[in-house]
Amino acid sequence: NHKSLSWRRHLQPISDEAAAKAEKQALPKKISMQLRKIFNLLQPMEITLRWLWLDQEIHDGEHQSVREFLDKMTDSIASSPTPEIHNHVGSSYLNIGEIEKARQCFERALATDDENSDAFRGLAEVAANEEDWEATVAHALTATELQFSNPWSHYLLARGFDELGDLDHARVA
């Protein structure tokens, strides 16, 4: 019984002054933890805000600043296993007329996911920009097979068939 109570002699009452000092020392740590939590929550929002900024710059015709940003981003994501990021960058390159860079991004997306409908749609857009209508049809057809509900893929498929003079298939697409 004496041993079971031995821990009590190690507990000594803390003075109010010592308690206040301990709480004051813990406060920066608590604030730091809360700030880290907030910044972690904001990180996805920061990425979204960057894409919104990029879209606005494209809309405003600030293609040089967009090109510089995308080139830096392309270097940093070259080995990314996430096809979505390659598709976003590829679409942005398309929007500023950088067709070859867009193609490379969509091909990288397909290298990580060979059934990525957005990457095939992107390649269909690249082919349409180059007026390669057979490639437009091939890529758009694959995109619609993978994700039937994407209207832009259907538009590209119809446009490709139309440009090839196949109006029957264009109407169905």
Side-chain angles (χ1 to χ4, degrees), residues 55-98:
D55 285 343
Q56 185 62 44
E57 291 288 293
I58 291 169
H59 177 73
D60 291 344
E62 300 294 332
H63 293 184
Q64 185 58 37
S65 64
V66 171
R67 188 175 293 110
E68 290 169 6
F69 177 79
L70 290 174
D71 288 345
K72 287 178 188 174
M73 181 176 264
T74 300
D75 292 340
S76 68
I77 64 161
S79 62
S80 173
T82 309
E84 291 80 11
I85 191 73
H86 296 292
N87 288 331
H88 283 300
V89 173
S91 293
S92 296
Y93 271 131
L94 270 177
N95 288 334
I96 62 170
E98 293 283 345

Side-chain angles (χ1 to χ4, degrees), residues 5-16 18-19:
L5 297 177
S6 67
W7 60 272
R8 287 189 179 180
R9 74 176 162 205
H10 296 294
L11 293 177
Q12 297 177 4
I14 295 179
S15 68
D16 290 341

Side-chain angles (χ1 to χ4, degrees), residues 59-169:
H59 177 73
D60 291 344
E62 300 294 332
H63 293 184
Q64 185 58 37
S65 64
V66 171
R67 188 175 293 110
E68 290 169 6
F69 177 79
L70 290 174
D71 288 345
K72 287 178 188 174
M73 181 176 264
T74 300
D75 292 340
S76 68
I77 64 161
S79 62
S80 173
T82 309
E84 291 80 11
I85 191 73
H86 296 292
N87 288 331
H88 283 300
V89 173
S91 293
S92 296
Y93 271 131
L94 270 177
N95 288 334
I96 62 170
E98 293 283 345
I99 306 304
E100 188 54 38
K101 289 180 180 181
R103 177 195 326 277
Q104 292 169 2
C105 290
F106 295 126
E107 287 173 350
R108 267 192 234 112
L110 286 174
T112 61
D113 176 7
D114 63 351
E115 292 188 356
N116 188 288
S117 65
D118 290 332
F120 280 108
R121 182 213 26 88
L123 288 174
E125 284 189 70
V126 165
N129 274 285
E130 295 174 334
E131 297 182 3
D132 181 348
W133 304 114
E134 289 180 11
T136 301
V137 167
H139 293 308
L141 185 59
T142 303
T144 57
E145 288 171 348
L146 292 170
Q147 183 185 3
F148 189 77
S149 62
N150 187 327
W152 192 248
S153 296
H154 287 279
Y155 165 76
L156 289 166
L157 183 59
R159 172 122 190 258
F161 279 131
D162 182 56
E163 293 291 341
L164 291 171
D166 188 345
L167 298 181
D168 292 334
H169 281 103

